[in-house]
Amino acid sequence: MTSPLALLGGTSAIDRPGPHFTWPPITDATRKAVADQLDTAVSIYDRSGVIADLEDALATYFGVRYALLTSSGTAALYSMYAAAGIGPGMEVIVPAYTFFATVTPLLHVGATPVLAECDERGNLDPADVLTRITHRTRAIAVTHMWGAPADVIELRRIADLHGLRLFEDGSHAHGATAAGRKIGSFGDAAAFSMNGPKPLSAGEGGFLLTDDSEIHHRALLHGQYNKRCRNEIPKTDDLYRYAVTGMGLKHRIHPLAAAMGLEQLGNLDTYLAGRDETATYLRDQLSDIPGIEPIAPAEGDRSSWYGLILRYRPDQLNGLTLDHYFEALQAEGALEADRPGSTCPLNLLPLFQEPGPLFPTLSRRFAYAPGQFPRAEAFHADTIKLPVWHRVDDQHTADAYLEAFRKVSAHHTDLIETGAQHG
Ligand SMILES: *Cc1c(COP(=O)(O)O)cnc(C)c1O
């Protein structure tokens, strides 16, 4: 604690150049899986080869009847809403605090997103959802923010009580569990991203899970036209006659991405166990540092630790602003500490304030404004996110980050003294 803060001219706590965290882990096994796929098939029109292998593995892993691969999580969400019959004039209750792609596909099916507040973990608050149900409500969509399960048991109960669909966006939460059950198995359907940094990564890709054969068949029609529809929708089904064209969209995953996803899935539980160990250690150490309050999953839940969320508590640091604290933290070399930007309350985004110029049919349906979701906005404003390392040999990196936090908190009065010139 003797060195002055790096921001004030001292030496930084972390001197190694970045990045200090990379994801996904690319091993020789990953390289081999992708190279082998190059020699097997690079375009797959039906449910064969690596497509069938990964869909089967996902259905088994999550304990659901159907898994359908897509080109992205956004495409999986779009197919999910369309396949469940969500359309114009219908309201869907969604988290105000989520990544926007949970909600933007609803605009493409013409539905009205009804934003709702978050709880102390940043997840959709069931009590607030209840206050927003109207005769137009058809569904609730929930995201498990940063990997910590939302209260899906209560949301499932509310959905059943009111005859609503429940949709899950599990894009942060592959392998997370609530009451011992996998996230993605609580909703009528669930969508997941396998984009770059997600806990299960294919580089790019996504998938949709459901036990409902009609949702599955309609999702095939939505984004997987011709061969898959012809082979997988029963000829006796009324919808079979649309098999050739489907709905005309194409959301197929690239086979090279599927090969990578399959290889990563084999390691997912090992990676999650490593993250859990690191997260437990980090939370334990961080909770002793003034101004920093790590968020834990609910009792009995397991997080995927897509991020470790820290609430900043200026009252414990004589009112030092987070802007100033964060600047000092970064100067200490904590490059992977992040203040999420684009993942923000949706009412702060122009698309949700004035959808008309991009979605003319929605122009008078909603117009959100800053200030309407104080809990979500406060959560967003006072959050620092840390990556959670999955290997025990990354322990020294975790320790270096802890040292950076300890140093900035311990020296916070030096920052306040220079606050005048800092502005
Ligand atoms: C990443 C993400 C998406 C979108 O997934 P893509 O694969 O990038 O299209 C949707 N929802 C959440 C919560 C995400 O984190």
Side-chain angles (χ1 to χ4, degrees):
M1 297 296 156
T2 47
S3 162
L5 290 172
L7 186 62
L8 305 177
T11 22
S12 56
I14 304 170
D15 52 14
R16 284 192 303 130
H20 304 138
F21 178 85
T22 56
W23 194 264
I26 305 293
T27 65
D28 286 345
T30 321
R31 288 184 195 97
K32 182 171 186 321
V34 174
D36 287 353
Q37 189 60 43
L38 272 172
D39 292 328
T40 313
V42 291
S43 300
I44 301 179
Y45 301 94
D46 58 5
R47 188 178 183 280
S48 68
V50 71
I51 304 299
D53 291 346
L54 181 51
E55 288 187 352
D56 290 347
L58 288 167
T60 303
Y61 184 83
F62 287 94
V64 298
R65 197 162 155 207
Y66 300 106
L68 176 64
L69 290 166
T70 55
S71 51
S72 69
T74 308
L77 286 151
Y78 188 13
S79 283
M80 175 172 74
Y81 297 134
I86 302 300
M90 300 180 190
E91 293 179 358
V92 179
I93 300 175
V94 299
Y97 181 60
T98 182
F99 181 61
F100 56 79
T102 308
V103 180
T104 44
L106 287 170
L107 310 183
H108 291 269
V109 297
T112 304
V114 174
L115 310 193
E117 270 286 18
C118 69
D119 63 15
E120 70 279 9
R121 287 183 190 83
N123 279 327
L124 186 62
D125 177 10
D128 195 65
V129 166
L130 274 176
T131 69
R132 298 182 194 268
I133 295 174
T134 72
H135 66 279
R136 280 188 226 85
T137 310
R138 289 293 176 278
I140 302 166
V142 59
T143 310
H144 307 280
M145 290 303 289
W146 309 115
D151 190 352
V152 264
I153 293 172
E154 182 60 10
L155 290 168
R156 180 75 263 176
R157 200 187 64 78
I158 292 170
D160 290 343
L161 194 67
H162 293 268
L164 308 175
R165 297 275 201 190
L166 178 66
F167 299 118
E168 291 178 84
D169 181 350
S171 297
H172 292 180
H174 315 65
T177 60
R181 221 172 101 190
K182 290 251 162 62
I183 287 311
S185 67
F186 291 89
D188 295 85
F192 288 74
S193 169
M194 294 192 290
N195 181 43
K198 303 298 160 73
L200 174 63
S201 178
E204 293 283 359
F207 57 92
L208 193 164
L209 305 176
T210 187
D211 286 329
D212 183 321
S213 57
E214 178 163 7
I215 291 180
H216 179 63
H217 294 153
R218 285 184 178 268
L220 283 167
L221 288 164
H222 188 255
Q224 319 269 333
Y225 54 67
N226 206 359
K227 267 201 175 162
R228 283 204 66 162
C229 292
R230 287 196 285 128
N231 295 344
E232 296 170 54
I233 298 173
K235 295 203 168 51
T236 52
D237 194 307
D238 284 348
L239 297 171
Y240 181 80
R241 61 201 170 106
Y242 298 108
V244 171
T245 57
M247 294 172 74
L249 296 177
K250 185 177 159 187
H251 295 328
R252 282 204 299 262
I253 193 172
H254 198 296
L256 296 182
M260 180 176 158
L262 183 60
E263 191 276 329
Q264 297 284 316
L265 180 60
N267 297 313
L268 178 59
D269 283 337
T270 308
Y271 294 155
L272 292 180
R275 283 185 176 196
D276 204 45
E277 211 172 302
T278 307
T280 302
Y281 175 71
L282 282 172
R283 272 171 44 218
D284 182 56
Q285 299 287 314
L286 285 162
S287 56
D288 293 336
I289 300 176
I292 299 298
E293 198 174 278
I295 302 285
E299 190 69 31
D301 286 359
R302 181 174 94 154
S303 178
S304 67
W305 298 113
Y306 180 47
L308 173 59
I309 296 301
L310 313 173
R311 298 291 302 264
Y312 181 68
R313 296 286 306 274
D315 50 308
Q316 296 174 2
L317 297 173
N318 300 304
L320 178 72
T321 64
L322 175 53
D323 283 350
H324 209 170
Y325 186 99
F326 191 72
E327 191 183 0
L329 189 67
Q330 290 210 304
E332 294 302 330
L335 307 173
E336 310 294 341
D338 180 33
R339 294 179 71 188
S342 59
T343 300
C344 72
L346 304 184
N347 58 310
L348 304 184
L349 297 168
L351 183 60
F352 293 89
Q353 295 169 354
E354 196 190 350
L358 296 187
F359 291 95
T361 61
L362 294 173
S363 67
R364 270 177 296 280
R365 298 264 181 199
F366 60 91
Y368 289 102
Q372 290 175 328
F373 297 90
R375 276 188 272 152
E377 289 168 56
F379 193 94
H380 173 64
D382 67 14
T383 283
I384 301 175
K385 179 170 71 75
L386 278 185
V388 181
W389 293 274
H390 71 288
R391 290 185 316 204
V392 183
D393 54 346
D394 278 323
Q395 173 86 21
H396 63 278
T397 313
D399 280 328
Y401 272 69
L402 287 169
E403 200 43 44
F405 277 94
R406 280 195 200 99
K407 188 176 166 190
V408 176
S409 285
H411 286 268
H412 73 276
T413 47
D414 302 350
L415 289 169
I416 290 170
E417 279 159 25
T418 60
Q421 72 236 46
H422 180 78

